[in-house]
Amino acid sequence: MRKPVAAALAAALALALAGCGQRPADPGTSAGDVTPSSAPAIPTPVSPTPVNPTPVNPTAREAPVKLGPQAQDALARARAEGARAVAVTVSTEPGQVERAVAGLRGLGATVESSDASVGYVRATVPVDEVARVPGVEGVRQVDVDEPLSNGDPAP
């Protein structure tokens, strides 16, 4: 009883080692007649041919970030009140605070504070540019605060 089981295991092992798509054994031999000299060679692992995929941007998102309903309402109020700028709080992708700060400055924003350890940027952005903030590289989420007054703070 042990010989048929051992022969079947040896045959299965030989087939597994030979790999899929190999030529079948010589018709004159049976699956149980596997000897070291007639066993197929162990195939060497072959790496698949690399395909040139589209480069992946590590900060790319599945869906673009958009301003939420509260942010849109705050922006609409700011426009209605004639505000020239609004304060925004930006959450960034990990390690992307500096990139987000540079992008915000490129929109004409004044960066008030940032904290790379938590991925936070606080900035004042011109009202006409706020809609572009979610598209800044490294930005994960944008919150628009209440409109800033345009009054002169001098007494």
Side-chain angles (χ1 to χ4, degrees):
M1 182 84 156
R2 287 184 175 213
K3 283 190 178 188
V5 172
L9 286 174
L13 179 61
L15 288 173
L17 292 177
C20 296
Q22 295 291 329
R23 260 188 7 211
D26 190 21
T29 62
S30 69
D33 294 339
V34 177
T35 62
S37 62
S38 67
I42 298 174
T44 56
V46 177
S47 297
T49 304
V51 178
N52 292 329
T54 305
V56 176
N57 181 347
T59 61
R61 305 177 220 21
E62 294 288 324
V65 176
K66 295 180 182 175
L67 292 176
Q70 291 176 335
Q72 290 176 0
D73 289 346
L75 187 57
R77 274 194 317 276
R79 282 194 173 116
E81 293 174 9
R84 289 183 270 163
V86 293
V88 297
T89 303
V90 176
S91 171
T92 67
E93 299 290 339
Q96 298 295 312
V97 168
E98 291 303 318
R99 186 166 277 155
V101 165
L104 289 169
R105 287 185 176 139
L107 295 176
T110 302
V111 176
E112 298 166 9
S113 64
S114 66
D115 187 343
S117 67
V118 293
Y120 163 89
V121 179
R122 176 96 173 143
T124 303
V125 181
V127 170
D128 295 336
E129 298 297 328
V130 173
R132 294 179 53 197
V133 172
V136 170
E137 192 170 356
V139 171
R140 177 184 288 173
Q141 183 177 348
V142 180
D143 291 323
V144 177
D145 297 337
E146 296 301 314
L148 300 176
S149 76
N150 290 328
D152 185 6

